[in-house]
Amino acid sequence: MEKLQALAWFVLVAACVLIPSERVLAAEKWNTKEEVSVKMGDCTYRAYLSSDKTESWIYRVELESRVRKLKFPEKIQDAPVTRLGFGRELFSDPETSDYYISIFGDLLEPWHGVYGEVPGWGYNEEKYYIESVVFPSELKTIEKGCFSGMLRLRKLRFPKELAELKEYTILACDSLTTVIFPEKMKKFHSGAFDKCRSIAFISISSDNANFMTKQNFLLGKRGKTLVWAAPATKTIVIPGSVKKISARALKGSRAGSVVLPKSVEYIGSKALCGKYIKKVELKKGNKVYKIKNGCIYEKKNGRITAVLVERGCVKIPSEVKILGGGVSVMGKNIKRVYVPKAAKKKYTRWIKKHGWLGLDDLYTY
């Protein structure tokens, strides 16, 4: 038995050593020692070719004037463009670099409020005039932090082969109102359109195998999972087919009210967070959750799920027994939180995390 365990351990270690990571594979795929470029009008596209020269990757766009329409080339040296953005392998220290670089060369730190959208702050100002983008038809990958601060961009139609919209794909494009998702999209991150607050219309092909859109909601294919809501939607009435609300589903939302259907069985971590929310409603007949004082909690174990801030205060219902993590905070400027004595105070981490909103103290009753 000991020999078998030792052999299993050896195989596991060997596998970890021999199987290269995705980043290593990506670095090996591209010839980053030899840059190629293409100039189209007032735009220069800097790129790399794959080692076998069957694909090309545009990592930088240089604008010489105010361009309204940014049209990417389909091919570079007869190699289809399949990747856009400044990839992690281009950083001097890919493992520790805590920022992104946009395709225009701007440094971005969304977690510090640096989005590259403030004119006169040293960002590439020509990008501010871009109104539309035409992507390469064979595009498969867009890097995090690729597009930011395009203040006049109004509509995006992604090519059908793009499989994923990563976190921070599009940043601070506040005139963006319409998004047509990729036909073959397999993954979507709720932070893909961070600080793009005007998105009011979203759509995806009915041929997509993983998602559907309805009433400006991005849903799972069968309509049972709420993945994301268009940020500009003022009143969110979640469809009655929804049983699961994904983590951070309302990220970036400017909604003032939210209505949850009685069908909901699971609410993910921080799924209902929204600083503009002033009213929340849970339809009668829900078997898993209950609402009181604007707070939503699980009936079975009394775990808090979401809280509504009213006049700077949150009053946790006396039925709540567990102040768990991942709690959705609806509203802003928390000043006081009233907690029932029966609740387990050791799970107050979510309250402390909102200290920057003005939390002064906890009060028990």
Side-chain angles (χ1 to χ4, degrees):
M1 179 61 73
E2 291 182 356
K3 289 183 178 180
L4 288 175
Q5 290 176 339
L7 179 60
W9 176 254
F10 175 79
V11 171
L12 178 62
V13 172
C16 293
V17 173
L18 296 175
I19 298 176
S21 66
E22 290 185 9
R23 185 172 292 168
V24 171
L25 290 173
E28 291 177 348
K29 177 178 179 177
W30 301 97
N31 178 15
T32 56
K33 295 182 180 180
E34 186 176 348
E35 181 187 276
V36 294
S37 63
V38 170
K39 184 170 183 179
M40 295 172 56
D42 289 333
C43 301
T44 298
Y45 301 91
R46 301 196 177 279
Y48 298 113
L49 299 179
S50 59
S51 299
D52 59 7
K53 297 185 178 181
T54 60
E55 298 179 55
S56 58
W57 160 26
I58 296 175
Y59 76 93
R60 179 64 54 81
V61 175
E62 296 177 355
L63 306 172
E64 297 177 10
S65 64
R66 298 176 179 180
V67 176
R68 290 188 176 182
K69 185 177 183 179
L70 179 63
K71 184 175 182 180
F72 286 93
E74 286 287 333
K75 297 181 178 181
I76 292 182
Q77 293 189 0
D78 292 326
V81 177
T82 61
R83 183 180 180 186
L84 296 178
F86 199 89
R88 297 302 295 179
E89 63 264 44
L90 298 182
F91 285 81
S92 57
D93 191 349
E95 300 299 330
T96 60
S97 297
D98 62 347
Y99 58 91
Y100 299 117
I101 295 178
S102 77
I103 202 165
F104 305 108
D106 297 326
L107 188 147
L108 310 170
E109 291 182 323
W111 42 91
H112 290 150
V114 181
Y115 287 86
E117 88 283 21
V118 183
W121 279 33
Y123 303 120
N124 190 312
E125 296 189 8
E126 282 75 14
K127 70 181 179 183
Y128 297 140
Y129 300 92
I130 296 174
E131 297 178 3
S132 63
V133 175
V134 180
F135 294 103
S137 59
E138 295 187 49
L139 180 65
K140 296 179 181 179
T141 303
I142 300 180
E143 297 298 332
K144 293 182 179 181
C146 188
F147 297 99
S148 68
M150 300 160 71
L151 301 180
R152 298 189 182 185
L153 180 66
R154 299 188 179 279
K155 180 178 179 180
L156 281 177
R157 179 185 291 274
F158 292 99
K160 68 178 184 178
E161 297 296 329
L162 186 64
E164 179 181 5
L165 285 176
K166 304 175 181 178
E167 185 178 24
Y168 304 132
T169 298
I170 312 293
L171 293 167
C173 296
D174 217 13
S175 294
L176 181 62
T177 61
T178 303
V179 174
I180 311 299
F181 292 114
E183 182 178 319
K184 296 184 179 181
M185 184 171 72
K186 296 179 180 179
K187 295 181 180 180
F188 174 84
H189 194 286
S190 61
F193 297 93
D194 197 18
K195 209 178 178 183
C196 296
R197 297 168 290 196
S198 300
I199 299 175
F201 177 80
I202 59 176
S203 178
I204 196 167
S205 170
S206 59
D207 293 330
N208 186 278
N210 304 289
F211 302 97
M212 64 176 285
T213 51
K214 182 179 181 180
Q215 300 170 2
N216 292 329
F217 295 115
L218 180 64
L219 306 172
K221 184 61 178 179
R222 294 188 295 173
K224 295 183 178 182
T225 301
L226 172 60
V227 179
W228 187 65
T233 305
K234 297 299 183 181
T235 300
I236 291 180
V237 180
I238 299 174
S241 61
V242 171
K243 292 186 176 182
K244 176 183 178 180
I245 303 177
S246 298
R248 301 178 184 273
L250 302 190
K251 184 174 176 60
S253 175
R254 298 178 67 82
S257 64
V258 178
V259 180
L260 283 69
K262 67 178 183 179
S263 59
V264 171
E265 299 175 354
Y266 174 81
I267 300 175
S269 175
K270 301 183 180 180
L272 304 178
C273 283
K275 63 181 180 179
Y276 297 98
I277 298 174
K278 295 182 179 180
K279 182 180 179 181
V280 60
E281 178 184 345
L282 176 65
K283 291 293 186 179
K284 293 181 179 180
N286 189 283
K287 297 180 180 180
V288 178
Y289 297 99
K290 189 171 182 178
I291 187 169
K292 186 177 180 180
N293 303 338
C295 299
I296 299 172
Y297 61 93
E298 295 179 31
K299 292 181 178 180
K300 185 177 181 180
N301 57 17
R303 178 183 292 272
I304 194 70
T305 300
V307 299
L308 179 65
V309 183
E310 296 182 283
R311 296 180 180 179
C313 298
V314 172
K315 185 175 181 180
I316 307 295
S318 58
E319 292 85 350
V320 170
K321 303 296 186 274
I322 303 175
L323 301 176
V327 174
S328 297
V329 177
M330 300 173 286
K332 56 184 178 179
N333 298 327
I334 300 177
K335 295 180 180 179
R336 293 189 178 188
V337 178
Y338 295 91
V339 182
K341 292 180 180 180
K344 297 179 180 179
K345 292 186 183 179
K346 63 180 180 180
Y347 294 107
T348 57
R349 187 176 178 186
W350 66 270
I351 298 174
K352 293 178 181 177
K353 279 191 173 182
H354 286 82
W356 60 274
L357 291 173
L359 177 63
D360 294 325
D361 207 349
L362 293 176
Y363 297 81
T364 58
Y365 70 95

